[in-house]
Amino acid sequence: MTGTPSQRLRAVHLTTVHNAFDVRIFHKEVKTLAAAGYVMTLIAQHDRDETVDGIRLLALPRPPNRLTRIFGLAGQALRLAVRQSADIYHFHDPELLLVGLLLKLTGVGRVCFYDAHEDVPKDIRSKDWIHPWLRGGLALAAASVEWTAARLLDGVVAATPSIARRFPARKTVVVQNYPLPEEFPTGQFPPYADRPPDILYIGGITPIRGALEMVRAMEHLPASLPARLVLVGRFAPNSLEQAARACAGWARVDYRGWRPRREALQLLGQARVGLALLHPAPNHVEAQPNKLFEYMAAGLPVVASHFPLWRDIVERHQCGLLVDPMDPQAISGAVRWLLEHPAEAQQMGQNGQAAVLQYFHWPTEAKKLIAFYEQFQ
């Protein structure tokens, strides 16, 4: 996008769920649009108002609980958004659908986009904090709200093709969450053969992401194999950490807690296997998790859930092994095979890295996002 500053369009991204430096929102979408010439503002949870990399951050407080976030932060985000008098408003959470509709229907937002990160109705059916009797009704209600909003708003940015299928094709673009090549430069990490036999998991550590299965898998590795499971992230709920520590496999766990992104990415180069073991929940089967592609980008062979979509990626590019994510012995067997066959494991890692460089990288998605925006200039 070119032009004098007075001609540049102003865009505001809003989120009440994600932090200010969320990878998809800040590092990918917002930075991409800023580089394309848009004047960018991000309203998100943060400690203070500031400008980072030319992007203006307007801080929302961190809420003490989920209800405060849903019913309190949305109002604050709306007030901040109205004050910006922007040309484009782009919001990232289903709980901001009402905010987006208010901005659109009152004329404050000339153009309003909804960024669908998840299949929300399916996600609701898997939420353990929602009573099982309520999940079906809430899922139907969420689907109805999204259906209505999608027809009143100007466009939808969907994170995967399966999510996009839920929205009108004529106003939906798929912008997938592929890795940023600059975060994985060639030659950044130590040679594969020089790395310790560590198995790595980075991300939210929750039951539905296979936390206990990963720890229990360590019980089944032979004592002669000096492998560790390196966990990077936060446990949720807190009781899950206690349950994990009670497992015999915890003796072979190196728990690092939450780490800054730069440090977490460096850990990719200090492991031999990356784990992506989501449970077969409705919202997971057709998901495309960041960590799967980031492991591939870093040259790590993966041990991943045997979902059909993931099978198409992992087997087609020969970049890892697929297992039943509910079976710790199957997970252990795949990990053991990779550690005991380092040459084959290294080749799988190289295959995954080549696939990311050719197919699964952010620049291709950035072009689609910019082209979508340019339709509304």
Side-chain angles (χ1 to χ4, degrees):
M1 184 177 176
T2 60
T4 64
S6 62
Q7 296 170 319
R8 295 167 64 195
L9 297 183
R10 293 166 298 171
V12 174
H13 281 232
L14 301 91
T15 176
T16 52
V17 174
H18 305 277
N19 67 63
F21 299 109
D22 177 85
V23 177
R24 176 177 175 84
I25 298 173
F26 181 82
H27 290 285
K28 293 177 181 174
E29 293 187 352
V30 173
K31 280 189 173 182
T32 289
L33 293 164
Y38 291 86
V39 179
M40 298 303 300
T41 298
L42 172 61
I43 298 171
Q45 293 183 37
H46 194 43
D47 298 324
R48 62 191 181 278
D49 295 350
E50 62 176 329
T51 298
V52 178
D53 295 337
I55 296 155
R56 186 181 177 210
L57 300 180
L58 298 181
L60 294 172
R62 291 184 170 87
N65 54 57
R66 188 177 288 110
L67 287 177
T68 302
R69 188 196 75 204
I70 294 173
F71 297 106
L73 283 195
Q76 294 183 52
L78 175 60
R79 288 191 292 272
L80 286 173
V82 169
R83 292 173 191 163
Q84 307 317 305
S85 299
D87 300 289
I88 299 172
Y89 289 92
H90 184 143
F91 52 99
H92 291 265
D93 314 314
E95 59 201 52
L96 291 178
L97 280 168
L98 179 58
V99 169
L101 289 171
L102 287 172
L103 290 169
K104 181 63 182 177
L105 297 176
T106 59
V108 174
R110 181 176 66 84
V111 177
C112 292
F113 298 143
Y114 172 44
D115 203 306
H117 295 205
E118 308 282 350
D119 187 319
V120 175
K122 287 182 179 178
D123 192 37
I124 288 173
R125 294 180 186 278
S126 304
K127 295 290 189 186
D128 55 10
W129 54 271
I130 299 176
H131 194 285
W133 290 356
L134 299 177
R135 291 174 194 168
L138 289 174
L140 288 173
S144 298
V145 171
E146 282 193 319
W147 188 94
T148 302
R151 282 147 183 83
L152 295 173
L153 299 173
D154 296 284
V156 176
V157 179
T160 69
S162 65
I163 294 172
R165 288 196 293 269
R166 300 186 50 250
F167 299 102
R170 63 182 177 81
K171 57 166 60 178
T172 301
V173 63
V174 178
V175 177
Q176 301 185 87
N177 229 3
Y178 293 153
L180 292 159
E182 59 268 27
E183 290 189 323
F184 303 91
T186 303
Q188 173 187 9
F189 300 131
Y192 188 83
D194 294 344
R195 303 179 191 182
D198 287 349
I199 305 111
L200 179 67
Y201 173 84
I202 295 179
I205 307 173
T206 65
I208 205 166
R209 291 184 174 95
L212 293 180
E213 288 78 12
M214 289 188 287
V215 174
R216 288 169 179 158
M218 301 305 294
E219 302 173 17
H220 302 288
L221 291 175
S224 58
L225 194 62
R228 301 182 306 167
L229 171 61
V230 178
L231 291 178
V232 181
R234 291 191 178 98
F235 278 93
N238 291 333
S239 59
L240 178 63
E241 181 176 352
Q242 300 170 6
R245 289 180 179 273
C247 297
W250 188 263
R252 303 182 75 164
V253 172
D254 179 5
Y255 176 45
R256 304 291 183 90
W258 179 88
R259 311 309 303 165
R261 180 162 177 80
R262 186 181 298 274
E263 185 177 336
L265 291 176
Q266 285 299 316
L267 290 172
L268 291 168
Q270 300 171 28
R272 292 204 180 193
V273 180
L275 299 182
L277 296 164
L278 300 184
H279 286 189
N283 193 39
H284 287 169
V285 174
E286 292 189 291
Q288 296 180 182
N290 294 350
K291 63 177 61 64
L292 179 66
F293 296 107
E294 290 181 348
Y295 295 151
M296 292 165 62
L300 281 182
V302 301
V303 174
S305 304
H306 60 355
F307 305 150
L309 177 62
W310 297 19
R311 183 175 300 279
D312 182 60
I313 295 168
V314 174
E315 290 190 346
R316 176 156 52 97
H317 298 287
Q318 299 180 11
C319 59
L321 300 175
L322 297 163
V323 297
D324 178 352
M326 311 300 292
D327 185 346
Q329 285 190 311
I331 297 167
S332 175
V335 166
R336 179 176 180 178
W337 191 93
L338 290 170
L339 293 179
E340 292 180 343
H341 297 81
E344 292 89 340
Q346 181 175 1
Q347 184 60 58
M348 287 180 176
Q350 292 172 351
N351 293 344
Q353 196 167 46
V356 168
L357 291 173
Q358 187 170 1
Y359 303 109
F360 307 119
H361 53 262
W362 175 251
T364 60
E365 306 308 298
K367 291 176 183 177
K368 292 191 289 184
L369 179 64
I370 293 168
F372 192 65
Y373 263 63
E374 287 176 346
Q375 296 178 58
F376 298 91
Q377 289 188 23

